Amino acid sequence: MGTYDQRTVRLLDSYYSPLTQELARLRQRSEENQVPLILRETENFLVPYLRAKQPSHILEIGTAYGYSACLFATLLPHAEVTTIERSPYMIEEAKKTLADFSCADRIHMIEGEGSEILARLREERREPEKRFDFLFIDAAKSHYRDFLVDSEELLTENAVIVCDNILMHGLLTGDADDPGRRHRTSKKRMFEFLDYIKRREDLSVSLLRSGDGLAIIEFHDPTSH
């Protein structure tokens, strides 16, 4: 990220206001412990977007400390949030988070591998009224395509899908170093994911630079123009 971009981010961040002090404390704890969470710029996009969309059943893949799940539940007091996490450490930390949040009764954390949990949810949520109208993907970058495909049967026809960190903190563009090419597989699969969603004629896709890059995906009928 260039100097101009860094200054821009600092300027925009200086105008950031957390929704609640609970969320402010959780953001501070996550950042101090270097735990991944949505960037302030990403949050500034999602808050008015979700207020406009008003989803009622949210599915999140990647809980971490639970920041975004708590943000969604705080912002949308009528919404139920189901969030999936596989890391035992993150699960324990998220449990601590949820124990302190007043909205925790509407957040349901499921522990385990995403693919296995999504398969189970497809069996449990066959009825249309049990489907999700918002999907937030913020987990292993090399599995974004699998997460999307495995979730499709769980979504309503008008569902919105948001995928975070598609720029992988500069790795995708080469603006960040990758010593030992440790992330080469994740980069390759992220490019494949972006190519895949742009090729699908039944998806409306917007790729945004906001935060660390967002993919906004909606379903549409390719025969209707």
Side-chain angles (χ1 to χ4, degrees):
M1 182 178 290
T3 302
Y4 173 79
D5 287 332
Q6 291 175 1
R7 290 175 178 172
T8 301
V9 169
R10 286 196 295 270
L11 172 64
L12 295 178
D13 281 354
S14 70
Y15 288 95
Y16 166 81
S17 296
L19 281 181
T20 66
Q21 287 305 305
E22 281 184 311
L23 286 166
R25 287 191 292 269
L26 178 54
R27 174 173 286 282
Q28 181 178 1
R29 181 165 74 95
S30 300
E31 291 175 344
E32 287 176 350
N33 294 334
Q34 297 184 329
V35 171
L37 79 164
I38 58 173
L39 298 176
R40 289 173 173 83
E41 186 178 353
T42 303
E43 181 176 333
N44 284 338
F45 168 82
L46 284 174
V47 166
Y49 186 79
L50 290 174
R51 277 187 177 139
K53 290 291 184 179
Q54 289 291 308
S56 57
H57 293 86
I58 295 172
L59 175 61
E60 175 187 53
I61 304 175
T63 310
Y65 276 14
Y67 183 86
S68 48
C70 290
L71 172 71
F72 300 151
T74 300
L75 178 68
L76 304 165
H78 64 285
E80 298 284 330
V81 181
T82 299
T83 181
I84 299 171
E85 179 57 57
R86 70 173 185 173
S87 164
Y89 170 74
M90 293 297 186
I91 289 167
E92 290 307 309
E93 292 299 319
K95 287 178 179 178
K96 295 176 188 176
T97 296
L98 296 181
D100 293 334
F101 266 76
S102 55
C103 60
D105 60 324
R106 291 182 289 107
I107 300 175
H108 315 288
M109 184 170 63
I110 307 178
E111 306 170 18
E113 290 290 337
S115 59
E116 296 174 5
I117 292 170
L118 292 171
R120 193 175 83 208
L121 288 175
R122 289 196 298 272
E123 291 298 319
E124 296 173 354
R125 291 177 170 262
R126 291 182 176 274
E127 298 86 352
E129 64 271 14
K130 292 184 178 181
R131 293 177 184 168
F132 300 97
D133 50 358
F134 182 74
L135 169 62
F136 187 63
I137 301 178
D138 188 12
K141 306 303 174 265
S142 59
H143 295 294
Y144 271 29
R145 176 171 173 169
D146 294 334
F147 292 146
L148 172 62
V149 172
D150 290 345
S151 300
E152 286 189 52
E153 291 181 25
L154 293 165
L155 303 177
T156 63
E157 291 182 358
N158 64 344
V160 176
I161 303 153
V162 175
C163 306
D164 197 12
N165 302 120
I166 63 169
L167 296 178
M168 298 175 61
H169 298 287
L171 288 171
L172 211 65
T173 58
D175 291 328
D177 293 331
D178 184 16
R181 300 181 66 198
R182 292 189 303 115
H183 300 284
R184 63 184 182 277
T185 299
S186 295
K187 288 167 58 178
K188 177 176 179 290
R189 290 184 178 172
M190 181 59 77
F191 276 120
E192 290 172 349
F193 168 70
L194 296 177
D195 290 340
Y196 169 74
I197 59 177
K198 289 299 287 185
R199 283 198 312 269
R200 281 188 50 173
E201 295 184 353
D202 64 327
L203 298 180
S204 174
V205 179
S206 297
L207 303 180
L208 306 179
R209 190 183 176 187
S210 298
D212 187 34
L214 296 172
I216 315 297
I217 306 169
E218 296 182 79
F219 297 102
H220 76 98
D221 183 354
T223 63
S224 63
H225 296 285

